[in-house]
Amino acid sequence: GENVEQHPSTLSVQEGDSAVIKCTYSDSASNYFPWYKQELGKRPQLIIDIRSNVGEKKDQRIAVTLNKTAKHFSLHITETQPEDSAVYFCAASRGAAGNKLTFGGGTRVLVKP
Amino acid sequence: DTGVSQNPRHKITKRGQNVTFRCDPISEHNRLYWYRQTLGQGPEFLTYFQNEAQLEKSRLLSDRFSAERPKGSFSTLEIQRTEQGDSAMYLCASSRQGVNTEAFFGQGTRLTVV
């Protein structure tokens, strides 16, 4: 089955700096890669996703890149703000398998004011 | 909040007791998923339904776990003879049918087995 590795497990950045989180996956059939943000005590919420026919996607301060050959994808947050502090999870899915998600272990991001 | 709803939010039970959780998905979503999340880890897939049919179960789902979605709307997850290792957050998610459609998560049920 699919295995998703996520690094780093914790990330501390100064407000205004950039944050980068990296994930690798094992199943070459995976074709959908969402990123979820989970604040303490709250539900995971989708912040951005990318499909395997696209190499990069951007939404305001958030961008995701995908390298299918190397089987890795990354989340980039620019101009970080204190409200970006949360746990971020990457995930992978094969669309034909009912869209079940395999998650990475999470990255706890702390943005220092 | 018209999103995915889970009840109860918290459950404390004694080892050996049975517990049941409920998930109400977003009304037009015909796919429903259960995940388990332990502290400091990402959610792990347990099972999913398309309408009332349970289409896949993870090996994580032992015989003590059973899930139902009798009318293709809400779902229940029952754990029989709970063990301390069952302590976790149980998350439900729902999505529309289709390839790579967004999954919306509920706030979860936190189970503590004492």
Side-chain angles (χ1 to χ4, degrees):
Chain A
E2 174 69 280
N3 183 51
V4 178
E5 300 280 344
Q6 183 171 347
H7 299 280
S9 56
T10 59
L11 181 58
S12 182
V13 297
Q14 207 64 38
E15 182 177 359
D17 288 350
S18 295
V20 180
I21 303 170
K22 298 183 178 182
C23 290
T24 59
Y25 62 98
S26 61
D27 186 352
S28 56
S30 289
N31 57 10
Y32 175 62
F33 307 92
W35 287 86
Y36 283 82
K37 176 182 180 182
Q38 187 174 29
E39 297 178 50
L40 192 63
K42 296 192 175 180
R43 69 188 77 198
Q45 291 198 298
L46 181 76
I47 56 171
I48 195 167
D49 57 16
I50 191 167
R51 290 163 175 77
S52 60
N53 58 345
V54 174
E56 184 173 357
K57 184 176 177 180
K58 191 172 182 181
D59 182 3
Q60 300 182 338
R61 297 186 296 109
I62 294 172
V64 58
T65 59
L66 170 66
N67 183 326
K68 282 182 61 180
T69 304
K71 290 192 277 193
H72 66 70
F73 56 114
S74 301
L75 178 73
H76 304 251
I77 307 173
T78 58
E79 300 171 20
T80 53
Q81 300 167 5
E83 53 264 38
D84 294 329
S85 296
V87 179
Y88 292 81
F89 293 99
C90 63
S93 168
R94 307 166 102 195
N99 297 347
K100 73 175 185 185
L101 298 170
T102 301
F103 284 85
T107 297
R108 182 173 299 279
V109 174
L110 175 63
V111 180
K112 299 178 185 175
Chain B
D1 187 352
T2 56
V4 179
S5 176
Q6 292 188 245
N7 288 288
R9 294 288 310 279
H10 303 273
K11 178 72 176 178
I12 300 175
T13 191
K14 291 183 178 179
R15 191 173 49 187
Q17 297 294 304
N18 298 344
V19 293
T20 301
F21 312 140
R22 175 175 171 132
C23 171
D24 287 89
I26 294 171
S27 58
E28 61 267 27
H29 288 182
N30 64 349
R31 282 189 177 155
L32 186 148
Y33 310 81
W34 285 99
Y35 290 84
R36 180 171 67 190
Q37 186 176 27
T38 52
L39 203 60
Q41 301 295 318
E44 295 175 297
F45 170 79
L46 294 179
T47 188
Y48 97 96
F49 293 83
Q50 183 158 302
N51 300 313
E52 65 276 8
Q54 188 174 17
L55 296 188
E56 187 172 348
K57 294 196 295 185
S58 164
R59 291 182 203 132
L60 292 175
L61 215 63
S62 77
D63 291 345
R64 296 183 298 105
F65 288 69
S66 62
E68 293 183 342
R69 195 183 182 197
K71 297 181 181 178
S73 57
F74 73 91
S75 174
T76 57
L77 178 68
E78 181 184 16
I79 309 174
Q80 296 182 325
R81 305 180 303 280
T82 52
E83 302 173 355
Q84 286 189 320
D86 297 331
S87 296
M89 175 74 83
Y90 290 84
L91 291 166
C92 176
S94 70
S95 73
R96 297 177 191 274
Q97 189 165 343
V99 177
N100 298 331
T101 54
E102 179 180 350
F104 292 82
F105 281 83
Q107 291 190 291
T109 294
R110 180 166 296 285
L111 173 66
T112 302
V113 181
V114 297

